[in-house]
Amino acid sequence: MTRPLIALLILILALASCVAPTPPAAPEMAPTATAVPLPTSPPSPAPTATPVAAAAAPAFEAAPCPFPPPPGETEGETLQCGFVTVPSVRSDPASPPIRLAVAVLKATNPDTAQPDPVILLSGGPGEKTVENGFNAALVLAPFRETRDVIIFDQRGVGLSEPALECPEFVAAYWDVQDEADPETRLRTVYDALDACGDRLVAEGHNLSAYNTTENAADVDAIRQALGYDQLNLYGGSYGSALAQAIMRDYPEIVRTAIVGAVLPAEKSFFVHVPVTSTNAILRLIDLCAADAACNAAYPNLKQTLFDTVERLNANPVPIQVTSPLDGQAYDILLTGDKVVGNLVTFLYLTEIIPVLPKAIVDVANGNYDLM
């Protein structure tokens, strides 16, 4: 199952990077920042994050907010939106600029507000955060009792300019969902991604500029433009990797960091995530087996899952799903690998984990609603 799982996870990453319209996945943790030791790993690629000496100081350019203010708040007072312009390649003074979409949710009690804000480092990479700012404001409300909260779209994403969208990928992804041959599915999607990359390069975009080192420098630029001395970092998944890069390259600007669903700096998504994802599913099954009530309700869960994945890979089941992008219904073939991919995604959502044993057994019994 290793090879299809790796391919499926790559597709999940690509989907998140290109099209995911979901609210920012702030980790579900108590909103209390705690100091963390700074990573000691050496900086990865050369010091591209060092600003060019002649570069102008970053500035914040106000713009209308793309989302409504939270209840009882007013845009321009408790909510400020706009752009921060940064170089696309900091080591190249002639590189074209990038505009980062930024929103600041001011502390709700100015009398007790602290000088260091919380900045949300979104996951993916590729989550569109600013257009979902209303939801972010609700999720991050506990922080705002004492601090400003900054949200932003990382370079190439969402409302930042340019936004490197891949409609070729979106179309291909849905076109092959009812394709029985896995090799054909993968080749079609990879060809679409290649076509998207070729188009973006032909349009003049330097894709090598869209990396974590530059993202970390962007966070420092946002800090400068908004006039803060230090930041409290808050991120999960890819946001945890970005937090580590900021702590590595700009330790002086970090007061505290909270990270969840951590991707360690020394690990590779493509090399290590298939193993850790599989281990996470097996741990879920082991925990169910160790719980008397869960084991009684769902006995032999591991064998049930293995048999179901093998059976659905050999004989996929046609079902219909609704795309969250356009509300359109699509015919797809539910394979065992798609079941595994769904389980990996669901493990990110704490409130859903307790129903996963039932979802596995339901699929084994031909009921695909939960899955």
Side-chain angles (χ1 to χ4, degrees), residues 69-333:
E73 300 190 30
T74 304
E75 183 174 337
E77 296 180 6
T78 58
L79 173 62
Q80 298 173 350
C81 299
F83 294 90
V84 174
T85 301
V86 299
S88 54
V89 180
R90 284 173 169 82
S91 60
D92 179 6
S95 64
I98 288 174
R99 300 178 81 217
L100 303 171
V102 178
V104 182
L105 307 163
K106 305 297 286 187
T108 52
N109 189 345
D111 295 333
T112 60
Q114 300 298 306
D116 41 275
V118 173
I119 186 165
L120 175 64
L121 309 176
S122 294
E127 286 183 345
K128 300 177 179 179
T129 305
V130 174
E131 69 182 28
N132 293 296
F134 183 84
N135 293 328
L138 299 180
V139 172
L140 301 173
F143 286 123
R144 298 184 63 204
E145 294 175 6
T146 55
R147 285 179 169 82
D148 297 349
V149 171
I150 304 168
I151 61 175
F152 71 104
D153 282 339
Q154 295 163 19
R155 54 174 54 206
V157 171
L159 299 176
S160 290
E161 301 170 356
L164 307 184
E165 298 286 350
C166 277
E168 300 94 333
F169 166 80
V170 178
Y173 177 85
W174 289 111
D175 284 346
V176 299
Q177 288 306 308
D178 57 354
E179 169 59 55
D181 179 36
E183 294 297 329
T184 299
R185 290 200 302 270
L186 290 175
R187 175 53 55 197
T188 301
V189 171
Y190 289 153
D191 286 347
L193 288 172
D194 282 343
C196 176
D198 291 344
R199 175 181 56 78
L200 291 172
V201 170
E203 291 173 356
H205 301 294
N206 177 6
L207 300 186
S208 65
Y210 296 82
N211 61 63
T212 301
T213 300
E214 293 286 3
N215 272 345
D218 291 345
V219 170
D220 183 49
I222 291 171
R223 176 196 64 82
Q224 294 179 56
L226 296 176
Y228 297 107
D229 291 329
Q230 287 192 306
L231 303 171
N232 299 285
L233 311 179
Y234 186 57
S237 195
Y238 172 75
S240 77
L242 179 53
Q244 292 167 82
I246 297 166
M247 290 189 282
R248 178 195 67 202
D249 295 343
Y250 304 93
E252 71 282 358
I253 76 170
V254 180
R255 176 179 174 271
T256 62
I258 301 173
V259 292
V262 177
L263 178 62
E266 69 275 13
K267 301 295 184 180
S268 162
F269 179 92
F270 295 103
V271 173
H272 296 99
V273 167
V275 175
T276 57
S277 297
T278 300
N279 289 343
I281 294 174
L282 294 176
R283 176 160 174 75
L284 167 73
I285 291 172
D286 289 343
L287 288 173
C288 181
D291 181 90
C294 187
N295 190 52
Y298 312 108
N300 303 315
L301 189 60
K302 180 185 295 186
Q303 194 60 50
T304 298
L305 176 61
F306 286 6
D307 291 345
T308 301
V309 170
E310 184 176 5
R311 172 171 53 82
L312 288 177
N313 276 339
N315 297 287
V317 174
I319 63 173
Q320 265 204 343
V321 298
T322 301
S323 167
L325 301 177
D326 56 15
Q328 184 175 340
Y330 290 88
D331 294 323
I332 76 165
L333 289 175

